[in-house]
Amino acid sequence: MKDVVPTRQVSRRMFIGGALAALSVPLASSLLTGNALAAPSPVLMQAKADFIRLSHLLTGHPSLDASMAERLYQHMLTLYPDFTQQVRALAQFVDANSPGADTLHPALLQQQPALAPLPAAILTAWYLGVVGTGKQAVCLAYENALMNQAVRDHLTPPSYAYGAYGTWATKPQ
């Protein structure tokens, strides 16, 4: 006895929908990975180097976590459309005037007031681990944020368990 394979008719709508779905996969793939696979431009590479150099100056730390620097930099690029230009302008200002971290803000207020908020945004990102403000704020680091690294020899970050449940109830000695 022969096996009978039922035939299925494909409607025009189903064919067009399937064709559109198949054609949209390469487009969606290129849109999602386009920035990640693209070679960084020299301007972006210079801005990233300037960001790291400014971060060293502002925080006073000679060595900073490279992966955290990358995350902070990428999110600042996303949130602030002119971040690359601002970082470059701030780096040029620092190169030209050689201010210390303590005199940078007053110097910026006098000579480049448009750049004055940038050092505070960079410091906030490094010390709090948060980029942006309000509804745009993104927390990128907690335990590795510099505010918690500064006291790690004596304190664990807040909300981390110091011991078993209820240890907070006994009086310290």
Side-chain angles (χ1 to χ4, degrees), residues 13 30 57 61 70 75 93-94 131 136 147-148 151-152 154:
R13 286 184 184 161
S30 68
L57 169 74
H61 287 269
E70 180 68 26
H75 276 79
F93 180 83
V94 167
V131 173
Q136 289 184 332
M147 70 174 181
N148 287 326
V151 296
R152 73 175 177 253
H154 296 319

Side-chain angles (χ1 to χ4, degrees), residues 12 16 32 41 48 51 60 69 78 82 86 88 92 105 129 140-141 146 153 155 161 167 172:
R12 187 179 322 158
I16 290 174
L32 292 174
S41 71
K48 185 190 280 186
F51 171 74
T78 305
D82 58 345
Q86 285 190 345
R88 186 69 197 131
Q92 289 172 346
H105 188 68
L140 300 172
L146 291 181
D153 56 341
L155 299 173
T167 55

Side-chain angles (χ1 to χ4, degrees), residues 21-153:
L23 291 173
S24 68
V25 170
L27 177 63
S29 174
S30 68
L31 288 175
L32 292 174
T33 61
N35 291 340
L37 299 178
S41 71
V43 173
L44 285 177
M45 290 175 58
Q46 181 62 45
K48 185 190 280 186
D50 289 338
F51 171 74
I52 292 172
R53 188 168 53 94
L54 290 169
S55 295
H56 287 294
L57 169 74
L58 293 169
T59 62
H61 287 269
S63 63
L64 295 168
D65 183 8
S67 63
M68 186 168 159
E70 180 68 26
R71 286 192 314 266
L72 296 176
Y73 177 75
Q74 291 300 327
H75 276 79
M76 289 182 125
L77 274 178
T78 305
L79 286 179
Y80 308 114
D82 58 345
F83 183 69
T84 305
Q85 294 83 9
Q86 285 190 345
V87 165
R88 186 69 197 131
L90 182 59
Q92 289 172 346
F93 180 83
V94 167
D95 291 342
N97 298 306
S98 301
D102 56 338
T103 60
L104 179 61
H105 188 68
L108 283 173
L109 285 175
Q110 287 180 351
Q111 298 173 27
Q112 296 282 336
L115 295 176
L118 185 58
I122 293 172
L123 281 171
T124 299
W126 278 104
Y127 274 90
L128 300 181
V130 176
V131 173
T133 58
K135 291 183 179 183
Q136 289 184 332
V138 178
C139 182
L140 300 172
Y142 181 68
E143 183 179 356
N144 294 331
L146 291 181
M147 70 174 181
N148 287 326
Q149 293 297 315
V151 296
R152 73 175 177 253
D153 56 341

